[in-house]
Amino acid sequence: MEQSCYVASLKYSPVMWNHGRGLGEPVGHEGFPIRYLLASGYDWLCEDSELDVDLISLGNDSNPLLSLLSFFTSGAPRKLRNLFRTHPPSTLLFVNFNPLIDRIVVRIARRANPRARVVALFHEPHTEEKLVYGWKRALLLTAYEFLSKRMVRSSDAVILPSENAGDTFRRFIPSFRGDSRVIPLVYVDVACRENLDRRFVSFVGQIGNAHQKGLDLFIEMVEENVRRSGGLAFQLVTGQSPRRLLESLSAEARASLRVVHADQLTDEAISRAIRESLVVVLLQRRVMQSGALPMALMNGTPVLVSRLEGFTEFVEEGRTARILPVDSSLDERFDAIGEIRENIDFMVPLCRRSYEEKFDSRCVAEHVPFLVGRPIEK
């Protein structure tokens, strides 16, 4: 019976559908059967896909305990046993952790095939200074890290998305004896091909944890732009409800900000918004890697980033990005945007080339033997 490589994401996060395919499709191109094992929340993303997708009902998977309860009450363990009996797993590649459920999936898979290889994409091995998020979130982060480390013990190999994440992993989980490799977050190419004017200064992504994301610095720019007589156009692109954020703005700033929002925001809609952007603003105060960075470069859009290793290892000052100090001043930010505007024709092709060389899913081809745990037979 032919064995399959499973790409698994049992915690719903829309971007993981693209990341998962970015890792899975190159494995499939080398002749290994690929299946996608996903939380039921992904149904709208993959409903028209011709790929082999198996959905697991997890209810509200933002609450880990309710998710675990739904996992059992929905009959998911039985479904997995039947699935792994019909399509035995050779590899389980977890691209987004649901640590309470993932380890159960591993146990069921290894009953079907004791030699199944488990590979975990470890986005953020450790969060320092957790209390800046408040004690409740700090407690949740501590619990998540504890469970994630237990998941790592069940893994044969770990993927780290940046050298920064790799260094952190080695410092805080030194006991891991499996294989590890840095593979930047890859994207299937869904760039917008329309010839659109680049006119927006854009924030793209989740708007929770505003301090970490540097969202306050972006909003400060929107307000300042009004005071400076509106010389720039600003845009917010997010799948989260922006209602509270918009209520915090002055009426003039709110009217000047274009909002691209939907609960089910597709890659195509995000790419179109980025293609209309002069620059994507990524002024995080802490980062291991950024999912918005590859999307910006994919669409040929320069980025404005904080001087943090999770950014600086992937961008080039003056060519694909302007790099600013963490908590940069308003004048530094506006001056940098002005320089990008003056050099946009020079920077656009360099950004696209950077995506192709670092983040395109085709870059995974060389890592396929690592992922599946055996050489490619030619």
Side-chain angles (χ1 to χ4, degrees):
M1 189 178 298
E2 191 172 44
Q3 296 181 340
S4 297
C5 173
Y6 287 82
V7 177
S9 178
L10 297 172
K11 180 174 174 58
Y12 174 65
S13 177
V15 71
M16 292 303 156
W17 173 235
N18 194 310
H19 288 326
R21 287 181 292 134
L23 289 168
E25 289 183 9
V27 175
H29 291 160
E30 295 296 343
F32 298 95
I34 290 288
R35 301 188 71 88
Y36 294 85
L37 184 64
L38 306 175
S40 51
Y42 288 95
D43 56 355
W44 66 277
L45 281 163
C46 56
E47 60 185 354
D48 297 324
S49 174
E50 296 181 357
L51 300 173
D52 290 318
V53 178
D54 301 289
L55 296 173
I56 301 298
S57 180
L58 297 178
N60 178 13
D61 67 0
S62 63
N63 183 313
L65 294 178
L66 290 179
S67 175
L68 184 64
L69 179 63
S70 179
F71 177 79
F72 284 108
T73 58
S74 68
R78 182 177 64 255
K79 178 176 180 177
L80 285 169
R81 286 192 292 271
N82 292 336
L83 175 64
F84 292 153
R85 190 179 302 118
T86 307
H87 304 282
S90 61
T91 303
L92 283 170
L93 172 54
F94 290 92
V95 297
N96 196 30
F97 286 171
N98 185 333
L100 289 177
I101 291 175
D102 292 345
R103 293 170 64 225
I104 300 172
V105 174
V106 170
R107 286 200 295 270
I108 296 173
R110 282 180 168 157
R111 289 192 191 112
N113 176 15
R115 301 182 65 183
R117 179 175 175 82
V118 175
V119 183
L121 171 55
F122 213 121
H123 294 267
E124 193 154 345
H126 182 79
T127 300
E128 300 188 68
E129 299 179 1
K130 296 180 180 66
L131 285 175
V132 300
Y133 306 113
W135 71 268
K136 288 184 179 179
R137 180 163 173 78
L139 187 61
L140 288 172
L141 285 170
T142 300
Y144 179 80
E145 286 179 4
F146 173 77
L147 293 170
S148 296
K149 289 176 183 177
R150 292 176 65 85
M151 177 63 191
V152 167
R153 293 185 198 137
S154 301
S155 302
D156 300 292
V158 170
I159 301 170
L160 290 314
S162 66
E163 293 294 344
N164 186 29
D167 291 342
T168 303
F169 180 83
R170 287 184 286 273
R171 280 192 294 124
F172 288 95
I173 313 180
S175 60
F176 182 65
R177 293 292 177 263
D179 300 328
S180 65
R181 181 170 297 191
V182 172
I183 304 177
L185 286 176
V186 290
Y187 271 86
V188 174
D189 191 355
V190 290
C192 177
R193 307 297 181 185
E194 297 179 61
N195 186 20
L196 304 171
D197 290 337
R198 294 186 178 275
R199 55 197 182 95
F200 291 107
V201 176
S202 298
F203 183 98
V204 179
Q206 301 297 311
I207 57 177
N209 307 319
H211 182 80
Q212 174 200 335
K213 297 285 188 181
L215 180 60
D216 57 320
L217 302 179
F218 176 78
I219 294 302
E220 184 183 35
M221 293 169 68
V222 177
E223 294 281 8
E224 179 67 14
N225 185 58
V226 172
R227 289 191 287 270
R228 298 188 183 195
S229 302
L232 294 168
F234 284 79
Q235 176 178 238
L236 174 68
V237 184
T238 183
Q240 291 182 307
S241 172
R243 181 179 58 83
R244 287 188 179 180
L245 177 64
L246 295 178
E247 289 173 351
S248 72
L249 292 172
S250 67
E252 294 84 358
R254 189 162 57 247
S256 71
L257 178 65
R258 181 195 190 193
V259 177
V260 177
H261 163 68
D263 292 334
Q264 297 181 344
L265 193 60
T266 64
D267 283 345
E268 290 73 21
I270 296 170
S271 280
R272 194 177 197 281
I274 293 175
R275 178 60 183 80
E276 290 186 276
S277 299
L278 175 71
V279 58
V280 170
V281 176
L282 299 169
L283 294 175
Q284 275 94 323
R285 292 179 171 89
R286 182 183 62 78
V287 68
M288 289 285 175
Q289 86 292 319
S290 166
L293 174 60
M295 282 287 280
L297 298 178
M298 177 198 301
N299 288 282
T301 304
V303 290
L304 186 65
V305 300
S306 305
R307 188 172 287 114
L308 297 171
E309 291 181 4
F311 289 133
T312 56
E313 70 176 272
F314 297 120
V315 300
E316 296 179 81
E317 169 67 34
R319 293 172 64 83
T320 59
R322 283 302 319 276
I323 303 171
L324 297 181
V326 176
D327 289 316
S328 54
S329 69
L330 275 167
D331 284 341
E332 286 176 313
R333 282 172 258 158
F334 277 99
D335 288 347
I337 291 170
E339 292 171 12
I340 289 173
R341 174 187 272 171
E342 291 176 4
N343 294 285
I344 189 66
D345 291 339
F346 167 73
M347 298 178 79
V348 164
L350 296 177
C351 291
R352 175 64 193 184
R353 187 183 309 157
S354 180
Y355 160 75
E356 293 172 349
E357 293 175 351
K358 299 171 185 175
F359 299 109
D360 192 293
S361 58
R362 286 169 289 191
C363 297
V364 175
E366 65 179 288
H367 302 293
V368 170
F370 165 81
L371 296 175
V372 301
R374 61 181 188 269
I376 299 170
E377 297 179 4
K378 297 294 185 181

